[in-house]
Amino acid sequence: MLHNTNFLFLIAITLGYARNCTDNNVAVRTSFAIDYENDQFLLDGTPFRYVSGSFHYFRTPRQYWRDRLRKMRAAGLNAISTYVEWSLHQPELNKWVWDGDADLVEFIKQAQEEDLLVILRLGPYICAERDFGGFPYWLLSLVSDIKLRTNDSRYMEYAEKYLNQVLIRVKPLLRDNGGPIIMIQVENEYGHFYACDKHYTKRLRDIIKNHVKSDVVLFTTDGIYRPELRCGSIPGVYATIDFGTATNVTENFNLMREIEPKGPLVNSEFYTGWPSYWKGPFQRVETKKIIKMLDEMLSVGASVNFYMFYGGTNFAFTSGADVFDKYAPDITSYDYDAPLTEAGDLTPKYFQIRKTISQYLPLPNIPIPPVSLKGEYGIVQMKSVLRLFDNETRSLFGTKVINSQKALTFEALNVSSWLVLYEANVSSFDISNRSAILQASPKDRAFIYLDDELIGVLSRALKTKSLLLGPTNAKSLQILVENQGRVNFGNVDVEDFKGIFNVTLNDVKISPWNITGFRFNTIFESILTAIKSPTAEMKTLVSGPQILIGHFDVTGVPRDTYLNTAEWGKGAAFVNDRNLGRYWPLVGPQMTLYVPAAYLKEGKNTLVLVELEYVPANRKINFQTIPVLDYYSNRTSNR
């Protein structure tokens, strides 16, 4: 038998042991477990507690992952927490994506290289203020009455495939295998969900355990309400709790003890900020309140995860919506008033948290990165090149026109997001000599046109479902429906189909429909630049949305910047074919869109706007170095 120490060490690595040794060169097995007897975690057999921060890899370009991770480690954190987003990795039924900004394995490896452990929150549902709570839209195209987040076999078939895809990739990265993953969450705040389907949560647990065995700690997290904790808890899975500064630490942890009498105290989501919605104020949480509660939790030995430590951005059409008394769509920015800004800059909140952590854990001996310089790329002159309703626009961005007796949903059309146009002939209604009432239920916002002329807007958020049409000779009715984000949280069913429903004119059903979906996955810059006959309409866009294009130069190495949309109406912006997300300065509070340097290039760059409502007379827009996320006006708007 060989006794060569180096040989034994190589065997230890192969068997999933640590890459570090004791002073006697004896391999120490890496592991993570719960010591119930002493109410603590054990990391490699040693008492341990984590101070973690949430950072979702899908909310920033991968070029910035290491920068954000290093800043989090420099703050004294010893772990990070991330959701895994199903819709990112399976955007279509037969398409999987695991590279680029979706390279989950690379993200986890970078976290380990930055000396951070990883807490993985797989879903399948994640909430996270993301469209549909992270579910892929196509789930709603499978069966009209599918019941998500339950043991419905029509849902579970795909949920299990998704979990298997993730778990196969992350298993080698578990702590027991020498990786950084110490905990995996089963579902997400399930206690809030009405179904309370214990068969469902136990099945998710078993799917995960089939891959990871006992090599990682499985956990749940729920809010500070007994019914939620009881419904969300799963046998054999450690139940944790989440809460923010408006509550009491002692009372909250006493409530957790009702579910978990023994084991470490854990706040899995300690809120540094809060979601913000269009037409509302930008939400902030005072630093002094955070520091006071953080100190209380650390003083009793609790493990804490900051939600969020770095928020990032809901690029493209990935922001979701909440529904309680009304539908409230999330803004594009996910800055979240977090310790690191949307651009990854350090805030006073960051330094106060770091100072508090240093009283309980040793700070790493690494320099704190400086704030990045921003680029001020000035004014861009935009040119209106197409109306959305033009045949050329339809050929570039539209789906094949579908004729249907009913107004099909986005999901039935296989259109994941943003815009669908419904057109019908209404000449048979004969409203040339009398007024008529158009009624419909929009999800989420519907621009109503008669013969290509805007006459009004219906809104789910404002609960406006009817519009008076004066006597008119119009023959064509057009309804442009905007999906503002599928519901990710609230007191309604999660199955949030998009489209226009129950459309009647004077209580008579309208039918048939010609339906066109619009996809802006690619902008066709060269075609838009070559168009020589731009549309002339400015200010309120009575004849329909416009597509505009402009160019700007970047000298030297590109820098992060912000696009100020303040003078515009509502739409989406694209830089070099990258979708920056929705803008809506008419209602606020967000005025600027974050533009990562990773989306820019030295020399000529292209900006495209798809504007739905209002184009300023000068058609100008500008880049600046300072974000504006908190401009809020109580102005009255029917939009």
Side-chain angles (χ1 to χ4, degrees):
M1 181 176 181
L2 295 175
H3 293 280
N4 182 282
T5 303
N6 291 330
F7 180 77
L8 291 174
F9 183 63
L10 289 173
I11 293 177
I13 293 176
T14 304
L15 294 175
Y17 286 80
R19 294 187 177 89
N20 58 352
C21 298
T22 65
D23 292 339
N24 296 321
N25 289 327
V26 177
V28 177
R29 184 182 179 190
T30 55
S31 63
F32 189 77
I34 294 176
D35 176 3
Y36 286 95
E37 183 177 349
N38 296 296
D39 297 331
Q40 62 189 2
F41 288 116
L42 295 176
L43 180 69
D44 307 336
T46 302
F48 174 81
R49 60 107 163 264
Y50 63 79
V51 180
S52 169
S54 289
F55 165 24
H56 305 149
Y57 59 99
F58 44 79
R59 280 186 160 121
T60 196
R62 66 178 289 161
Q63 293 93 326
Y64 296 158
W65 287 350
R66 191 174 298 277
D67 171 81
R68 307 314 192 243
L69 291 166
R70 187 163 296 174
K71 287 171 179 173
M72 293 172 77
R73 183 69 186 105
L77 305 185
N78 55 18
I80 61 109
S81 170
T82 186
Y83 283 124
V84 182
E85 187 174 49
W86 184 356
S87 60
L88 171 72
H89 296 293
Q90 196 181 8
E92 300 293 341
L93 178 58
N94 297 313
K95 180 180 180 181
W96 291 95
V97 181
W98 298 100
D99 58 0
D101 291 348
D103 194 340
L104 173 63
V105 169
E106 174 60 23
F107 177 76
I108 295 171
K109 288 180 176 178
Q110 286 190 22
Q112 184 173 27
E113 290 165 2
E114 296 301 324
D115 194 26
L116 289 161
L117 299 168
V118 174
I119 299 164
L120 214 54
R121 309 177 73 179
L122 303 182
Y125 162 84
I126 62 172
C127 184
E129 286 71 60
R130 297 287 278 190
D131 181 70
F132 207 8
F135 282 136
Y137 84 96
W138 51 261
L139 283 171
L140 297 180
S141 70
L142 302 175
V143 184
S144 61
D145 63 344
I146 194 169
K147 294 300 179 184
L148 306 178
R149 302 185 77 188
T150 73
N151 208 34
D152 184 338
S153 60
R154 301 166 299 179
Y155 158 66
M156 282 304 303
E157 174 187 354
Y158 299 97
E160 183 166 0
K161 288 178 181 177
Y162 157 70
L163 289 173
N164 288 337
Q165 285 278 339
V166 177
L167 291 162
I168 287 169
R169 286 168 171 79
V170 303
K171 183 176 180 179
L173 299 168
L174 302 181
R175 183 66 181 176
D176 272 35
N177 295 329
I181 300 173
I182 57 173
M183 301 178 73
I184 291 179
Q185 181 176 309
V186 183
E187 240 276 354
N188 182 64
E189 295 183 321
Y190 190 71
H192 179 80
F193 192 56
Y194 75 92
C196 197
D197 187 338
K198 291 289 187 177
H199 294 291
Y200 167 62
T201 53
K202 289 176 183 177
R203 186 170 175 188
L204 292 184
R205 174 203 62 191
D206 294 343
I207 292 169
I208 296 171
K209 278 193 170 183
N210 184 53
H211 286 271
V212 304
K213 311 305 179 189
S214 59
D215 294 344
V216 69
V217 171
L218 302 187
F219 76 104
T220 62
T221 186
D222 285 287
I224 50 171
Y225 304 98
R226 283 184 181 84
E228 290 189 16
L229 283 165
R230 289 170 180 165
C231 177
S233 63
I234 309 168
V237 178
Y238 194 69
T240 72
I241 199 166
D242 54 48
F243 56 88
T245 59
T247 60
N248 181 278
V249 170
T250 301
E251 292 177 1
N252 294 340
F253 283 141
N254 285 342
L255 187 59
M256 178 184 164
R257 280 287 178 241
E258 293 182 17
I259 304 297
E260 291 289 358
K262 298 293 290 182
L265 298 172
V266 179
N267 184 348
S268 289
E269 288 190 5
F270 176 44
Y271 303 110
T272 61
W274 200 249
S276 296
Y277 309 103
W278 294 114
K279 207 172 184 182
F282 181 79
Q283 300 289 340
R284 298 189 183 276
V285 176
E286 291 182 51
T287 299
K288 64 180 182 181
K289 292 182 179 179
I290 293 171
I291 298 306
K292 180 179 181 295
M293 182 165 278
L294 175 63
D295 187 65
E296 287 182 49
M297 290 188 290
L298 295 181
S299 67
V300 297
S303 287
V304 178
N305 175 64
F306 295 97
Y307 191 100
M308 299 289 300
F309 202 88
Y310 168 68
T313 309
N314 291 316
F315 291 112
F317 306 116
T318 57
S319 58
D322 285 356
V323 175
F324 287 100
D325 61 322
K326 66 177 182 178
Y327 173 83
D330 299 297
I331 65 174
T332 297
S333 172
Y334 205 62
D335 178 273
Y336 211 83
D337 196 30
L340 293 174
T341 69
E342 186 174 11
D345 295 331
L346 314 179
T347 66
K349 187 176 289 185
Y350 174 97
F351 289 103
Q352 288 297 311
I353 288 174
R354 183 176 187 269
K355 180 180 178 182
T356 305
I357 292 174
S358 71
Q359 298 170 23
Y360 295 90
L361 296 174
L363 295 177
N365 186 24
I366 57 176
I368 299 175
V371 172
S372 63
L373 295 175
K374 303 298 185 293
E376 188 165 5
Y377 298 118
I379 295 173
V380 182
Q381 183 65 58
M382 303 300 294
K383 179 176 75 168
S384 301
V385 290
L386 288 171
R387 286 192 325 132
L388 189 73
F389 301 154
D390 292 342
N391 289 333
E392 190 167 8
T393 308
R394 296 178 190 231
S395 66
L396 288 173
F397 305 107
T399 62
K400 181 181 178 180
V401 178
I402 294 178
N403 183 269
S404 173
Q405 291 302 307
K406 66 177 184 177
L408 300 174
T409 65
F410 281 51
E411 294 74 24
L413 298 165
N414 290 318
V415 175
S416 62
S417 56
W418 213 30
L419 299 174
V420 168
L421 177 64
Y422 301 85
E423 298 176 284
N425 189 309
V426 292
S427 57
S428 63
F429 286 86
D430 188 18
I431 54 175
S432 58
N433 296 314
R434 61 192 178 105
S435 296
I437 296 178
L438 176 74
Q439 292 183 306
S441 298
K443 282 193 174 181
D444 301 303
R445 217 158 159 270
F447 297 85
I448 311 299
Y449 301 84
L450 286 175
D451 287 350
D452 285 357
E453 183 176 344
L454 180 67
I455 59 170
V457 177
L458 303 181
S459 168
R460 178 183 185 182
L462 297 178
K463 301 179 181 179
T464 53
K465 297 183 178 182
S466 64
L467 194 63
L468 179 65
L469 312 183
T472 175
N473 292 313
K475 306 300 181 185
S476 172
L477 169 68
Q478 295 164 299
I479 303 179
L480 180 67
V481 176
E482 180 191 8
N483 167 3
Q484 292 186 280
R486 291 181 184 84
V487 171
N488 58 261
F489 193 76
N491 56 3
V492 297
D493 291 347
V494 71
E495 295 85 14
D496 191 19
F497 291 88
K498 296 301 184 182
I500 192 76
F501 303 89
N502 307 315
V503 188
T504 62
L505 195 57
N506 283 346
D507 296 324
V508 178
K509 180 181 177 181
I510 297 176
S511 183
W513 297 94
N514 288 324
I515 310 170
T516 306
F518 290 93
R519 297 192 179 104
F520 292 94
N521 301 328
T522 304
I523 291 301
F524 304 109
E525 172 189 338
S526 59
I527 296 175
L528 295 180
T529 302
I531 293 174
K532 301 298 183 182
S533 302
T535 179
E537 188 175 25
M538 295 178 293
K539 299 193 175 180
T540 301
L541 299 181
V542 176
S543 61
Q546 289 183 14
I547 299 176
L548 304 96
I549 190 168
H551 299 93
F552 61 100
D553 291 324
V554 172
T555 302
V557 177
R559 296 174 177 171
D560 288 356
T561 188
Y562 301 93
L563 180 68
N564 190 336
T565 67
E567 301 301 318
W568 293 71
K570 188 181 198 303
F574 303 77
V575 167
N576 297 330
D577 217 17
R578 301 300 295 262
N579 190 337
L580 302 179
R582 301 177 177 94
Y583 62 86
W584 197 4
L586 282 175
V587 301
Q590 179 176 358
M591 293 289 137
T592 56
L593 291 175
Y594 171 56
V595 186
Y599 290 1
L600 303 176
K601 58 188 177 182
E602 187 173 5
K604 184 179 179 181
N605 291 257
T606 302
L607 171 65
V608 172
L609 302 178
V610 182
E611 171 59 57
L612 303 181
E613 292 197 31
Y614 185 89
V615 172
N618 60 14
R619 292 197 181 95
K620 291 181 179 180
I621 196 167
N622 69 284
F623 291 97
Q624 62 188 48
T625 59
I626 299 173
V628 180
L629 299 177
D630 54 1
Y631 180 85
Y632 174 66
S633 170
N634 286 313
R635 73 186 105 176
T636 301
S637 173
N638 64 351
R639 300 295 175 85

